[in-house]
Structure formats: C-alpha cells, structure tokens
Amino acid sequence: EILVGFVFKKNMTFTDTIKKFLWYKTVKVVQIRNWKLGALHFGIELIIILYIILYVLFWSRGYNGTSPVEGFTYTKLKGSALEVNEDDSYRVWDATDIVIPPTEANAIFITTNSLITPGQSRGEYVDSSLSCNSNENCVKGKSEEHGINVGTCANVTGTDDGGCLIYGWGPIEDDVSPTNKTVLQDVKDFSLFIRSSVVFSKYNKLRDNLAGSDLTPGLNQFFVGEILGNASVTWDECSVSGCIVGMTINWDCAFNFWSPKCKPDFNYFRIDNPSDNFSKGFNFRYANYYYLPTNETYNPESPLDNAVQYRDLFKVYGVRLIFLVSGVGYRFSVIPLMANIASGLALLTIATLLSDVLALYILPHHQEYLDAKIEPVNVVIEDGVEKYDIINHHHHDTYKSLD
C-alpha cells in the first residue's frame, strides 16, 4: 500500500489545495514468494468458490426468484361405525354424524367417543352437584351451571342426599369421565379425502393434489389411524379423550422448464399436551333440537301448538385435525442470480485478509513483509511545483513531478 502525505509550503494557491482532494490512491502489489502462504490463500479462495457454486447457487437455488404461497384445504370423510351399548343396543354413526360441523375452513373434527343425554326438556330438576340440607342452602334466582336456582332443597333420587332444585334442561347430564367402552373403534379406518389447492400469485400459477380423477393414497387419500400414527399418536390414547393434531402441507414448487412437477410434502405433529391432567384431549358439546306434541288435541294447521321442545345433548370427544399450508414458488431470475454471485465473490476478500494478517503480523520475517507492503510517500508543494519524496527502507530518492 502506498501512503501519500501532504506538506504545504508557502505560495500555495487555491488550485493547489483543490488538487490534494483529487489525487489518486492505488494499492501496491507485493509478491511474497512463500508457497505455503500462497497455498493457504488459494485454498481459502477455492473453498469460497465451491461454497458459492454448490451451496448458494445449486443447493439453495440462488438463481431463482421466489413467490409466496396461498391456499385452502377441503376435506371429505367416508365410513360408518357401530356403537354397541352395555344393554346390547346399538347405534350406527356415519360420516355425517361424526363430522361436526359439516364443513370448516382448513380443519375438521372427527368424533371418536361420546356421552349422550337424550330427551332433555325445560323444567325443574334436582341438581345433585348443589348439595343442601335445607332451603337456606339454595339461593333463589342464582345462575348455576345447569340452570337457575329455584331456592328449594329436594331429595336426590335414589339417595338420602339433598340437592337444590334448578330450572333448566333436564334430566341433567351425568358428566362422567370418558371410557373406551363407548369408543367408535371403526373410525380409525375411515377414509379422509384431502384437497389442497394453492396459488403462487407472483407467477400466476395454480397447483393442487387432485391427480386427475383418482384417489391416491398418501397424496389426497388418508386414513384416520394412519394420520394419528404419523403424528406419533396411538389410537387408544386419542380415541377416548380426543386430541389435536396438526398437518402441514408444504408446497415447494419450481417453475423452470427443467424442473419436475411439484407435489406436496405432508408433516404431522400433535398440538395438545397428552400429559395434561386438566381438560385433557379435546371435546365440546352440541345439541339436536326437536318438538314433540303433548297429549292434548293435535292441530295440523299449527303443529307447534301444545308441543314441547326437546333436545338430545351430545358431549363428543375426537380428533381435531388442523391443516397448515406453507411453501414457496421458485423461478429463474437474473437479479437474484447476479446478487448472489456478487455477494459470494465479495467473500473472496476474506482470503486476502487472512493472508495479509499472517504475512504482516504472524509469520517469521513479518517485519520485512510489512516494510515492503507499506511505502510512505511525502508530497511537497513548493512554489507551485510538486515533489515526491519516496521513503524506502532500502533507498531514499527524490523525484520531481511531471506536472
């Protein structure tokens, strides 16, 4: 490196002062004949070049521009399950009964277990969870979990205990812990059709997983038990109390003419914590409402006259499956290619930097290398004439400017 210093003498003009800001500074090239240092320098450059070619350009596809992905997921469940009760009665559940609600954006709930309280109607019922010894223990008009407190203490059927009378829906649900006795075992074999459609808006490209008009296992057809297994969840663990499973549908698509047709990748994971003791799994309640006529005269012109509203209350447990769409679209673009090459080549300065540090400060004879590398030059301006005084450790000469 050539260091230029300025010494100002008398009779300097304004033009001379301006010139000092316009002088050109250049780098002095010093050839160090040390093959070990040269091998290190070129070795580092080779590593950087291989990094640019193999990782930045090919592995990371640095020659492509990118487009974000947007999409939706639509599902259909097919199958039938048989529920056998302790009294040998049975109930058939099909996909319409099991999927609640019937349609949902990017999610689906599949019933695997249930607690049913049929034939509820509005009236006064004894709530065994509100223990009492007298009417004084029951606060009239107070809002309770199952209805409004009437203010009367009554006997709980079949026991000697007392419970407050409430006005609400009854018979009151017996909210017991779920068991595997009511599990719909056939649900694990239900077929789930998953349609994933995405758009790469920047490139105006649409993609889906329909594969023509055929069902393709692993692409658009899955089974409930298979999904749970892929998420490392056992059927016995999830079917009793329910669970929440996430399914990521990843679309990484390249739209270059040499690129193969892209297909989605599916990843599965469990969202809820199976170790929770409180509110374990996933469940919720819903009801089916209907009217039944009383014993009074039926009027076909007003069928709801003298009719009583009833409901069947369902507490259902099951698989809550949530779909997440991710991915990115790629296509060749000169701008990211040039930007990645330029930023990669800039890393080549690391080789020079490391070699200079070794040569000038660490290797033997580094002082000789330092003296040869840095050559101070004093520029003297006297009577409008520029003179260059080159200070060299081996010689000391004065040169006159050609200006």
Side-chain angles (χ1 to χ4, degrees):
E1 182 177 354
I2 299 177
L3 302 178
V4 182
F6 301 97
V7 180
F8 298 97
K9 298 297 183 179
K10 62 181 180 178
N11 300 326
M12 282 187 61
T13 64
F14 177 76
T15 303
D16 295 331
T17 304
I18 295 298
K19 283 184 178 181
K20 87 180 184 73
F21 295 103
L22 302 178
W23 287 343
Y24 174 71
K25 181 180 179 181
T26 187
V27 177
K28 180 180 180 180
V29 177
V30 178
Q31 186 182 61
I32 300 177
R33 296 178 179 180
N34 184 324
W35 71 269
K36 295 180 180 178
L37 182 62
L40 175 64
H41 175 79
F42 290 115
I44 296 175
E45 286 188 334
L46 178 61
I47 292 174
I48 294 174
I49 291 174
L50 290 176
Y51 164 78
I52 297 171
I53 296 175
L54 299 180
Y55 180 78
V56 175
L57 295 183
F58 287 95
W59 180 262
S60 299
R61 293 182 282 193
Y63 51 83
N64 284 324
T66 60
S67 172
V69 63
E70 299 174 352
F72 74 95
T73 305
Y74 166 78
T75 61
K76 284 184 179 180
L77 187 72
K78 291 185 177 181
S80 297
L82 186 64
E83 175 190 356
V84 180
N85 302 314
E86 294 181 355
D87 58 358
D88 292 333
S89 62
Y90 58 88
R91 179 196 298 263
V92 175
W93 297 66
D94 62 13
T96 305
D97 303 317
I98 285 176
V99 177
I100 307 163
T103 182
E104 190 173 0
N106 299 315
I108 185 175
F109 175 78
I110 304 171
T111 305
T112 60
N113 201 357
S114 65
L115 173 65
I116 305 174
T117 307
Q120 287 187 322
S121 63
R122 292 184 180 91
E124 293 185 354
Y125 300 91
V126 179
D127 190 345
S128 59
S129 65
L130 302 177
S131 300
C132 62
N133 296 319
S134 65
N135 293 344
E136 295 179 356
N137 302 130
C138 302
V139 181
K140 185 177 181 179
K142 182 180 179 182
S143 176
E144 307 287 0
E145 179 182 359
H146 299 112
I148 305 300
N149 202 313
V150 177
T152 302
C153 183
N155 184 62
V156 178
T157 304
T159 69
D160 296 330
D161 300 326
C164 292
L165 203 64
I166 61 99
Y167 180 80
W169 287 96
I172 296 175
E173 175 191 60
D174 185 11
D175 190 11
V176 297
S177 299
T179 67
N180 59 2
K181 294 181 180 180
T182 53
V183 168
L184 303 174
Q185 297 291 347
D186 297 326
V187 171
K188 65 177 179 291
D189 298 321
F190 276 29
S191 171
L192 181 63
F193 169 71
I194 299 177
R195 176 181 177 179
S196 177
S197 298
V198 295
V199 57
F200 301 89
S201 55
K202 183 177 179 180
Y203 303 136
N204 195 27
K205 298 290 186 179
L206 302 175
R207 291 293 184 269
D208 59 44
N209 64 332
L210 292 185
S213 58
D214 298 327
L215 289 175
T216 305
L219 179 63
N220 53 33
Q221 183 186 36
F222 302 84
F223 295 92
V224 175
E226 172 193 4
I227 293 174
L228 295 179
N230 290 334
S232 299
V233 181
T234 65
W235 168 255
D236 292 337
E237 177 185 8
C238 179
S239 60
V240 176
S241 300
C243 61
I244 307 174
V245 174
M247 185 175 182
T248 300
I249 307 175
N250 187 65
W251 291 87
D252 283 341
C253 297
F255 301 111
N256 300 311
F257 68 87
W258 63 83
S259 302
K261 183 178 180 180
C262 69
K263 294 182 179 180
D265 293 323
F266 299 90
N267 298 296
Y268 310 83
F269 55 95
R270 183 167 185 172
I271 298 177
D272 65 306
N273 187 354
S275 301
D276 287 340
N277 294 322
F278 178 74
S279 189
K280 183 178 180 179
F282 184 82
N283 67 81
F284 63 91
R285 290 177 174 85
Y286 73 96
N288 290 334
Y289 295 88
Y290 53 94
Y291 286 87
L292 292 178
T294 62
N295 294 328
E296 300 182 22
T297 304
Y298 175 71
N299 183 2
E301 296 181 359
S302 300
L304 295 183
D305 290 349
N306 302 319
V308 177
Q309 186 182 36
Y310 290 86
R311 75 177 187 184
D312 294 335
L313 179 64
F314 294 81
K315 182 178 182 181
V316 291
Y317 306 82
V319 181
R320 169 75 168 170
L321 187 58
I322 300 174
F323 303 99
L324 306 172
V325 177
S326 64
V328 63
Y330 301 94
R331 190 164 68 182
F332 177 81
S333 176
V334 174
I335 295 177
L337 175 63
M338 293 295 101
N340 284 317
I341 291 177
S343 60
L345 293 177
L347 294 176
L348 292 175
T349 58
I350 295 177
T352 302
L353 177 62
L354 292 178
S355 300
D356 281 352
V357 171
L358 288 173
L360 302 180
Y361 302 103
I362 298 177
L363 293 180
H365 309 292
H366 64 270
Q367 187 59 48
E368 287 81 353
Y369 296 149
L370 187 62
D371 293 340
K373 174 76 172 175
I374 301 177
E375 185 175 3
V377 177
N378 287 333
V379 180
V380 180
I381 302 177
E382 185 174 1
D383 297 328
V385 179
E386 299 174 352
K387 296 181 179 181
Y388 297 85
D389 186 15
I390 302 177
I391 302 174
N392 192 286
H393 293 280
H394 304 289
H395 61 274
H396 183 189
D397 298 320
T398 301
Y399 299 87
K400 185 176 181 181
S401 172
L402 297 177
D403 290 1

